[in-house]
Amino acid sequence: MHTAAFRAAGLHGTYEARRVPAAELPAALAGLRQPGVLGANLSLPHKEAALPWLDELTPAARAIGAVNTVIHRQGRLTGENTDAQGLFEALLELGAGGTGDRNTGGAVAVLGAGGAARAAVYVAVTLLERDVYILNRTRARAQELAESWAAPDRPGPRALAADPGEVPWEQIRLLVNASSAGLDAPGQTPLPDFGFTRLPAGALVYDMVYKPAETRLMREARAAGRRAENGLGMLAHQARLAFRAWTGADVPVGVFLDALSSPAGREQQG
């Protein structure tokens, strides 16, 4: 995507994928301070672990408590979170992003409690203005995430264990898988033995996973007549926002989507 974006913007640059073990993260971030380096993206499990090694955070990154984009300027590193806005813009395109009355807009269920889930909860609480349920294998971690959004002027998210029995599914208009369940694992799902007909007609199941392009979660939701989309839209939008933060060039999101649909992009998606 970023190679295509550099070309579309008429800029000379490279974007390389590097596997960084957790113990090597501080050194890898320090390496971004070199002249000529614009920044980097971070993926699991570095989105929260990177925070102490950055010089500053944008308001969104600070509120979310996770970064996916690091911006280098004159030796200083700024942490940004384009996951949240990328998700929001993807949902807008799918007709699932309108703000409004909590009672008519429906609630949101978020699966997971890591960095991606933090971005999803941020979108649900601050941009969609919906009631939120957080489901995670470890209830304590879900509770920690929920408590970080507690405020006197709005109802905080409700933290639940992995058992979905406590969720009022008839109220859930948007279900977001922000866990890694299903990533490179076509037979895996974060909601085994779940009846998707419990969701109201018109509900959207949004799986942030995009490898494989169709996950088991998506297949089972569609089999029950519910809408389901993978995370490619979010991936393209967050990449566009990161590229703009690094270079100042606002490349159309279509450039990123076209790169994902190219033979090379499809191969990377598995």
Side-chain angles (χ1 to χ4, degrees):
M1 289 188 296
H2 291 290
T3 298
F6 276 121
R7 186 165 53 247
L11 300 174
H12 296 287
T14 60
Y15 184 98
E16 302 174 357
R18 297 183 181 179
R19 187 175 298 276
V20 178
E24 299 176 16
L25 178 61
L29 290 171
L32 300 179
R33 301 179 188 274
Q34 299 176 31
V37 177
L38 298 177
N41 283 134
L42 302 176
S43 61
L44 293 172
H46 300 320
K47 294 184 179 184
E48 298 169 77
L51 298 181
W53 308 101
L54 303 176
D55 298 305
E56 57 186 322
L57 301 175
T58 65
R62 185 177 301 108
I64 295 166
V67 301
N68 75 312
T69 300
V70 179
I71 305 157
H72 174 225
R73 293 286 188 276
Q74 299 180 335
R76 292 181 60 80
L77 300 181
T78 299
E80 173 64 284
N81 191 304
T82 66
D83 278 339
Q85 189 64 30
L87 173 61
F88 182 60
E89 294 190 16
L91 292 174
L92 287 177
E93 290 182 343
L94 294 168
T99 60
D101 192 294
R102 295 176 185 273
N103 295 323
T104 60
V108 178
V110 176
L111 309 179
R118 288 180 174 275
V121 172
Y122 173 86
V123 169
V125 172
T126 67
L127 302 181
L128 298 181
E129 300 178 351
R130 307 284 178 79
D131 293 330
V132 183
Y133 295 84
I134 304 170
L135 285 79
N136 192 58
R137 288 176 298 178
T138 306
R139 191 182 194 124
R141 190 151 191 226
Q143 186 65 40
E144 178 185 355
L145 175 53
E147 289 176 353
S148 68
W149 285 101
D153 61 337
R154 63 170 182 257
R158 183 176 175 187
L160 304 174
D163 181 2
E166 301 175 73
V167 181
W169 292 108
E170 70 282 357
Q171 300 174 22
I172 303 298
R173 303 287 298 182
L174 174 62
L175 170 63
V176 179
N177 176 31
S179 75
S180 60
L183 180 62
D184 291 324
Q188 189 181 69
T189 175
L191 287 177
D193 304 317
F194 180 71
F196 284 90
T197 55
R198 299 165 68 182
L199 296 173
L204 173 66
V205 175
Y206 194 87
D207 198 337
M208 287 188 180
V209 171
Y210 53 86
K211 293 176 59 179
E214 185 176 66
T215 63
R216 177 180 164 187
L217 184 76
M218 293 170 59
R219 290 196 304 272
E220 293 181 350
R222 287 173 176 169
R226 301 304 184 261
R227 292 191 300 157
E229 296 289 340
N230 65 22
L232 285 179
M234 174 183 172
L235 178 66
H237 278 290
Q238 67 80 23
R240 177 185 67 83
L241 295 166
F243 190 85
R244 186 176 67 184
W246 295 324
T247 67
D250 196 359
V251 176
V253 71
V255 171
F256 297 86
L257 289 169
D258 288 346
L260 289 171
S261 64
S262 69
R266 290 194 299 270
E267 182 179 352
Q268 289 180 2
Q269 296 164 39

Short mmCIF file of all heavy atoms in Angstrom, two decimals, residues 22 34 54 57 68 86 97 104 110 123-124 131 175 191 197 210-211 229:
data_model
loop_
_atom_site.label_atom_id
_atom_site.label_comp_id
_atom_site.label_asym_id
_atom_site.label_seq_id
_atom_site.Cartn_x
_atom_site.Cartn_y
_atom_site.Cartn_z
N ALA A 22 9.65 -8.69 21.32
CA ALA A 22 9.29 -7.73 22.36
C ALA A 22 10.52 -7.12 23.04
O ALA A 22 10.56 -5.92 23.32
CB ALA A 22 8.39 -8.40 23.40
N GLN A 34 16.72 8.13 13.40
CA GLN A 34 17.77 8.43 12.42
C GLN A 34 17.25 9.40 11.36
O GLN A 34 16.08 9.38 11.00
CB GLN A 34 18.22 7.14 11.75
CG GLN A 34 18.81 6.11 12.69
CD GLN A 34 19.15 4.84 11.95
OE1 GLN A 34 19.50 4.84 10.79
NE2 GLN A 34 19.04 3.71 12.66
N LEU A 54 8.17 6.64 23.74
CA LEU A 54 7.88 7.74 22.83
C LEU A 54 7.96 9.07 23.57
O LEU A 54 7.78 9.14 24.78
CB LEU A 54 6.48 7.55 22.24
CG LEU A 54 6.25 6.23 21.51
CD1 LEU A 54 4.80 6.11 21.06
CD2 LEU A 54 7.19 6.09 20.32
N LEU A 57 2.43 11.90 22.76
CA LEU A 57 1.29 11.21 22.16
C LEU A 57 0.30 12.25 21.65
O LEU A 57 0.15 13.32 22.24
CB LEU A 57 0.60 10.31 23.18
CG LEU A 57 1.43 9.21 23.84
CD1 LEU A 57 0.58 8.51 24.91
CD2 LEU A 57 1.93 8.21 22.82
N ASN A 68 -0.53 2.90 16.89
CA ASN A 68 -0.20 2.04 15.76
C ASN A 68 0.71 2.76 14.77
O ASN A 68 1.22 2.15 13.83
CB ASN A 68 -1.47 1.58 15.03
CG ASN A 68 -2.08 2.68 14.18
OD1 ASN A 68 -2.25 3.81 14.66
ND2 ASN A 68 -2.40 2.37 12.94
N GLY A 86 -9.44 5.18 11.30
CA GLY A 86 -9.57 4.28 10.16
C GLY A 86 -10.79 3.39 10.28
O GLY A 86 -11.52 3.16 9.31
N GLY A 97 -21.91 3.98 10.79
CA GLY A 97 -21.17 4.91 11.62
C GLY A 97 -21.92 6.13 12.07
O GLY A 97 -21.34 7.04 12.65
N THR A 104 -31.86 4.51 19.61
CA THR A 104 -32.15 4.16 18.22
C THR A 104 -30.92 3.65 17.49
O THR A 104 -31.04 2.92 16.51
CB THR A 104 -32.71 5.39 17.47
OG1 THR A 104 -31.73 6.44 17.51
CG2 THR A 104 -34.00 5.86 18.10
N VAL A 110 -17.66 -5.31 21.61
CA VAL A 110 -16.26 -5.38 21.18
C VAL A 110 -15.65 -6.64 21.77
O VAL A 110 -15.71 -6.86 22.98
CB VAL A 110 -15.46 -4.14 21.64
CG1 VAL A 110 -13.99 -4.28 21.28
CG2 VAL A 110 -16.05 -2.87 21.03
N VAL A 123 -13.84 4.50 19.40
CA VAL A 123 -14.78 4.83 18.32
C VAL A 123 -16.22 4.71 18.81
O VAL A 123 -17.05 5.60 18.60
CB VAL A 123 -14.55 3.92 17.10
CG1 VAL A 123 -15.68 4.06 16.08
CG2 VAL A 123 -13.21 4.23 16.45
N ALA A 124 -16.51 3.60 19.49
CA ALA A 124 -17.89 3.35 19.93
C ALA A 124 -18.36 4.40 20.95
O ALA A 124 -19.49 4.86 20.89
CB ALA A 124 -18.00 1.95 20.53
N ASP A 131 -23.73 2.71 23.64
CA ASP A 131 -23.43 1.85 24.77
C ASP A 131 -22.53 0.73 24.29
O ASP A 131 -22.68 0.23 23.15
CB ASP A 131 -24.71 1.28 25.37
CG ASP A 131 -25.58 2.36 26.01
OD1 ASP A 131 -25.01 3.35 26.48
OD2 ASP A 131 -26.81 2.19 26.02
N LEU A 175 -21.08 -5.48 15.95
CA LEU A 175 -20.21 -6.41 16.66
C LEU A 175 -18.83 -6.33 16.02
O LEU A 175 -18.68 -6.57 14.82
CB LEU A 175 -20.76 -7.84 16.55
CG LEU A 175 -19.85 -8.98 17.02
CD1 LEU A 175 -19.55 -8.85 18.51
CD2 LEU A 175 -20.49 -10.33 16.71
N LEU A 191 -16.17 -16.44 18.74
CA LEU A 191 -17.51 -16.77 19.26
C LEU A 191 -17.93 -18.16 18.78
O LEU A 191 -18.80 -18.30 17.91
CB LEU A 191 -18.54 -15.73 18.79
CG LEU A 191 -18.49 -14.35 19.43
CD1 LEU A 191 -19.53 -13.45 18.79
CD2 LEU A 191 -18.70 -14.43 20.94
N THR A 197 -28.35 -15.31 14.75
CA THR A 197 -29.73 -14.82 14.63
C THR A 197 -30.17 -14.08 15.88
O THR A 197 -31.23 -13.45 15.90
CB THR A 197 -30.69 -15.99 14.36
OG1 THR A 197 -30.53 -16.98 15.38
CG2 THR A 197 -30.42 -16.61 12.99
N TYR A 210 -8.12 -9.53 8.60
CA TYR A 210 -8.26 -9.54 7.15
C TYR A 210 -7.44 -10.66 6.50
O TYR A 210 -7.41 -10.76 5.26
CB TYR A 210 -7.83 -8.18 6.56
CG TYR A 210 -6.46 -7.73 6.99
CD1 TYR A 210 -5.32 -8.13 6.31
CD2 TYR A 210 -6.32 -6.90 8.09
CE1 TYR A 210 -4.06 -7.72 6.70
CE2 TYR A 210 -5.07 -6.47 8.51
CZ TYR A 210 -3.95 -6.88 7.81
OH TYR A 210 -2.70 -6.48 8.22
N LYS A 211 -6.82 -11.48 7.30
CA LYS A 211 -6.13 -12.68 6.82
C LYS A 211 -6.64 -13.87 7.63
O LYS A 211 -6.30 -13.95 8.80
CB LYS A 211 -4.61 -12.54 6.99
CG LYS A 211 -3.96 -11.49 6.13
CD LYS A 211 -2.48 -11.36 6.43
CE LYS A 211 -1.72 -12.64 6.20
NZ LYS A 211 -0.28 -12.50 6.46
N GLU A 229 -18.19 -7.96 7.39
CA GLU A 229 -17.09 -7.40 6.60
C GLU A 229 -15.78 -7.65 7.31
O GLU A 229 -15.73 -7.72 8.55
CB GLU A 229 -17.27 -5.88 6.43
CG GLU A 229 -18.50 -5.48 5.63
CD GLU A 229 -18.39 -5.79 4.16
OE1 GLU A 229 -17.25 -5.96 3.67
OE2 GLU A 229 -19.44 -5.84 3.48
#
